[in-house]
Amino acid sequence: MANAYSKNRVRKIVRRFGLIPSHSDSVASLYRKNAIVRVRTKSGTYAMKPFFRSNLLRSGTIDQIKTMANYIHLLTNNGFNSMPEWLASNSGKLWTLNQGRPFYVTTWIHGRSMENQEDFEKLGRVLASLHTTSNLSSPIHGLFFDLIRLWQYKDRLFRRRMAKSNYTNRWTRRWYKKFGESCNQISDRTWTEIKSPEIVNFLEQEKIRPALIHSDITSQNVIIANDGQLFIIDWDRIKLGSIYAELATALMNTTRFNPVFIHALLKGYEEIRPLDRTERKMISCLYRLPREAWLAAQFPQNVRSRNMLDIMEQTWLLRLKAMDLLNEWENQQGE
């Protein structure tokens, strides 16, 4: 794989963080070939990462990375230790500009991916710690990112796409015919349930005193370090938002519909932050939403979109069983 960053450029950037590299190489992510640069030095290994703005927010790149840095400082000051250590640049900031692009540097976490029940309990505890730590101080000021409202928009877009499926390729048209209406029925059930007064009240309270969410909890962004500690990496999208939406997406993105892993993540979460029946109901109904189908519908000709729909088809029965499991959990008495 070609390195998008020359050795001279990497050296120039990391020296601003007090590092002298002996070797560097690019590491790919799911969406970028050169998502991160692994930098080896005599003192250890570090991650140099370019920062890209989120198109979902109206603010510019510099404002977004400033906000991210402020949130990282807040978590660090409140004792949250499940993320890599961030290095300060020679200017005192957690980032630096190079050729108009912000970069930041953290320690590199050596470890493995999650693979057993204990790992998922750890993830649950870390997520609950994130959601509670950011509320230990005075209320955080900033814009609340309404992910649920965005999901409602994507659902409407999906339905329009499905209605025009005759204009897409034959394979996509077949998928829509087989699963599209089921996706709509599942979504309709969720939108009806979250209109109940108790859920509306909870969601409004979140906006009054919001918590920080990571926004991208996936298996790739969770590492079990060699000493057993769980770390979450890639904090570019940290923001104020709904902890219920974050927990629902974390369950979908990490547990592979495995009942043992689902129960373990929820058990770990409730050890730190117990959930009442209404909160459980919110998580259960948000979990159902067919978000992968919505994303695929935005780019119907993309190979990755077809892969998403393939995976949905292969795991459809497992998804339905996981939804039933969460329905049962929703109605259990909190321990």
Side-chain angles (χ1 to χ4, degrees):
M1 179 188 303
N3 191 334
Y5 304 101
S6 67
K7 291 183 179 179
N8 286 337
R9 188 178 185 191
V10 171
R11 178 179 293 272
K12 182 176 181 180
I13 293 171
V14 300
R15 282 182 69 89
R16 297 179 188 175
F17 293 86
L19 302 178
I20 301 177
S22 58
H23 179 76
S24 63
D25 60 298
S26 289
V27 178
S29 71
L30 187 62
Y31 299 106
R32 296 184 187 278
K33 290 184 177 180
N34 299 284
I36 194 166
V37 178
R38 179 168 46 198
V39 179
R40 293 182 173 89
T41 72
K42 289 184 178 180
S43 61
T45 305
Y46 298 86
M48 184 194 89
K49 194 170 187 302
F51 180 86
F52 295 90
R53 71 177 294 271
S54 169
N55 292 327
L56 297 176
L57 303 177
R58 295 180 179 178
S59 52
T61 302
I62 301 302
D63 285 339
Q64 286 186 20
I65 196 169
K66 284 181 178 179
T67 299
M68 181 196 76
N70 288 337
Y71 290 155
I72 295 300
H73 276 304
L74 186 149
L75 290 176
T76 302
N77 293 339
N78 280 325
F80 183 78
N81 61 358
S82 295
M83 58 184 173
E85 179 184 353
W86 293 64
L87 275 62
S89 68
N90 51 19
S91 67
K93 297 182 292 189
L94 295 183
W95 54 280
T96 188
L97 274 179
N98 179 268
Q99 298 181 17
R101 171 72 58 196
F103 289 83
Y104 62 87
V105 175
T106 70
T107 53
W108 184 273
I109 305 300
H110 298 277
R112 58 173 174 81
S113 58
M114 294 184 295
E115 57 188 29
N116 56 49
Q117 180 176 343
E118 182 183 1
D119 294 341
F120 282 89
E121 288 184 10
K122 288 180 181 178
L123 176 58
R125 288 192 288 270
V126 167
L127 280 177
S129 177
L130 167 65
H131 296 160
T132 55
T133 296
S134 57
N135 269 327
L136 291 178
S137 58
S138 57
I140 310 170
H141 298 290
L143 294 176
F144 181 91
F145 183 74
D146 195 341
L147 183 58
I148 297 174
R149 186 175 180 181
L150 176 64
W151 284 346
Q152 290 174 323
Y153 165 76
K154 289 188 174 182
D155 181 27
R156 292 193 295 270
L157 178 62
F158 172 77
R159 294 171 195 247
R160 291 198 296 269
R161 291 278 189 182
M162 193 174 69
K164 297 179 180 179
S165 61
N166 288 333
Y167 300 101
T168 62
N169 62 66
R170 186 181 356 177
W171 187 93
T172 306
R173 186 164 63 248
R174 181 197 66 80
W175 194 95
Y176 282 163
K177 185 175 181 179
K178 188 174 181 180
F179 295 102
E181 191 54 40
S182 295
C183 288
N184 290 344
Q185 291 173 1
I186 290 170
S187 298
D188 286 340
R189 180 182 171 190
T190 289
W191 304 137
T192 298
E193 290 183 359
I194 66 174
K195 289 179 182 177
S196 64
E198 62 270 22
I199 289 184
V200 170
N201 180 61
F202 261 106
L203 295 177
E204 288 301 319
Q205 289 301 312
E206 273 203 303
K207 295 177 182 178
I208 295 173
R209 190 177 177 88
L212 288 174
I213 61 173
H214 177 275
S215 297
D216 193 20
I217 301 295
T218 63
S219 297
Q220 293 76 19
N221 285 338
V222 179
I223 299 175
I224 306 297
N226 292 337
D227 63 0
Q229 183 177 352
L230 184 145
F231 286 90
I232 299 176
I233 62 172
D234 195 359
W235 290 81
D236 293 37
R237 299 295 174 251
I238 184 174
K239 58 176 68 73
L240 298 176
S242 171
I243 64 173
Y244 308 110
E246 169 131 287
L247 189 50
T249 55
L251 287 166
M252 179 64 74
N253 293 343
T254 65
T255 61
R256 304 187 294 278
F257 315 107
N258 184 319
V260 174
F261 295 163
I262 292 173
H263 278 303
L265 197 159
L266 293 170
K267 177 177 180 290
Y269 191 93
E270 292 200 272
E271 286 177 8
I272 305 297
R273 189 187 183 283
L275 299 162
D276 65 26
R277 185 171 179 177
T278 301
E279 292 176 298
R280 288 184 172 197
K281 186 177 184 65
M282 267 190 287
I283 294 162
S284 175
C285 67
L286 292 174
Y287 175 86
R288 299 185 207 118
L289 294 172
R291 295 176 295 108
E292 300 99 322
W294 301 344
L295 183 59
Q298 289 183 262
F299 311 99
Q301 306 303 326
N302 192 299
V303 174
R304 187 177 288 124
S305 296
R306 176 163 178 170
N307 291 339
M308 286 182 184
L309 297 181
D310 270 335
I311 292 172
M312 285 194 73
E313 182 166 3
Q314 295 162 9
T315 61
W316 188 258
L317 293 180
L318 293 175
R319 288 167 181 262
L320 296 181
K321 290 180 180 178
M323 292 177 196
D324 290 339
L325 182 152
L326 285 176
N327 287 341
E328 294 173 5
W329 168 76
E330 166 194 328
N331 293 306
Q332 293 172 357
Q333 292 293 325
E335 296 181 0

